[in-house]
Amino acid sequence: MQKFETNNYGYTIIDAPGHRDFIKNLITGTSQADVAILVVDACNGAFEIGVGSNGQMREHVLLAHTLGVKQLVVAINKMDCTEPMPYGEGRYRECANETLAYIRNVGFEDEFVQCVPISGWCGDNIKEKSENMSTWYNGPTLMEALDAIEAPERPVNKPLRIPIQDVYKIGGIGTVPVGRIESGIIRPGIDVAFAPTDIVAEVKSVERHHKSIDEAGPGANVGFSVKNVAVKDLQRGNVASNANDNPATGVESFTAHCIILNHPGEITDGYCPVIDCHTAHVACSFNIIERKDRRTGEVLETSPKSVKTGDACTVVMKPTKQFCVETFEDFPPLGRFAVRDMKQTIAVGIIKSVVRKEPEVDEADDW
């Protein structure tokens, strides 16, 4: 990860590749973001492919909204390559209008979306205003658009939750999990539990951008070293929490409200796609409880035999391996998810309730 600063904020860049084969990376990155920059290719032909019915831009916008990003900067890139003339206002308006129409349809609010024409190659409208577009564009540069972002509220007073993105072994320091703090505070000396495992360890130190700090709160991307834990015992998708303050746990199952976006057939009980929630990717089986009106929430059918594209439904999902999630009401970043199958996003949903995994009881202790 790299960082940069505007006049108002310090930013950490999470690069989320646009290629279809790297959607997992996109979901992991987007789930940690406060604001997204959607880079749109304005070149003739390339834009039409990206924004078309099978284009990746549509899936990226949908996933960003589903995963909780509320603020979006649309960078219409490669303005130096537009036809019939470079830096053409007509091409910018065409690309911007079509992109913004889809963004609104997904659910983003106009007041939280800013469109900026840029050339990454030539540096136009990145930091300095472009002379090449000065006759028709007087809006902000990319840096100015980021500077105008509203800082989100940080849930400092909630229990600690850190979805783990990576785990490193660093010489002289030891095992260092890395992730973004979604809620609560982490500081050296506290005991952290790593759900859904039974591992509890003391935090030796906390670092941000390679500097040791006394504590860190929501929104910070941190690494923290832990005592007596091997790298192989932790993995992406684990959730770190304060072992002495409402710690996170694995779940046996969870009930969710789901909207089916794009499935070529019908979904029935037993369907087992991959669920992408925070930094975890786990296959879960479906048990369909109700089919609902996606606009009003009215129950249309109980225990339906199947659901299809366009349907909303209540489902009980059972993970095929250990999995840590939370309800959307309590911890939104850990309570929204995307359903992936056949290299595409099949559905999106939010978690309404969970059945937590009961701790194993040692029979000798019980006796």
Side-chain angles (χ1 to χ4, degrees), residues 252-270:
E252 295 285 355
S253 64
F254 57 93
T255 302
H257 176 67
C258 228
I259 297 176
I260 313 302
L261 302 172
N262 182 27
H263 192 277
E266 294 185 336
I267 293 174
T268 58
D269 286 350

Side-chain angles (χ1 to χ4, degrees), residues 257 291-300 311-312:
H257 176 67
R291 184 170 65 86
K292 295 183 172 183
D293 185 293
R294 62 184 297 177
R295 290 177 178 80
T296 65
E298 178 188 356
V299 176
L300 302 177
D311 284 343

Side-chain angles (χ1 to χ4, degrees), residues 160 185-192 201-204 241-244:
L160 178 67
I185 299 290
I186 188 170
R187 57 176 63 89
I190 70 168
D191 291 331
V192 291
E202 182 183 341
V203 176
K204 294 192 294 182
S241 58
N242 189 327
N244 299 308

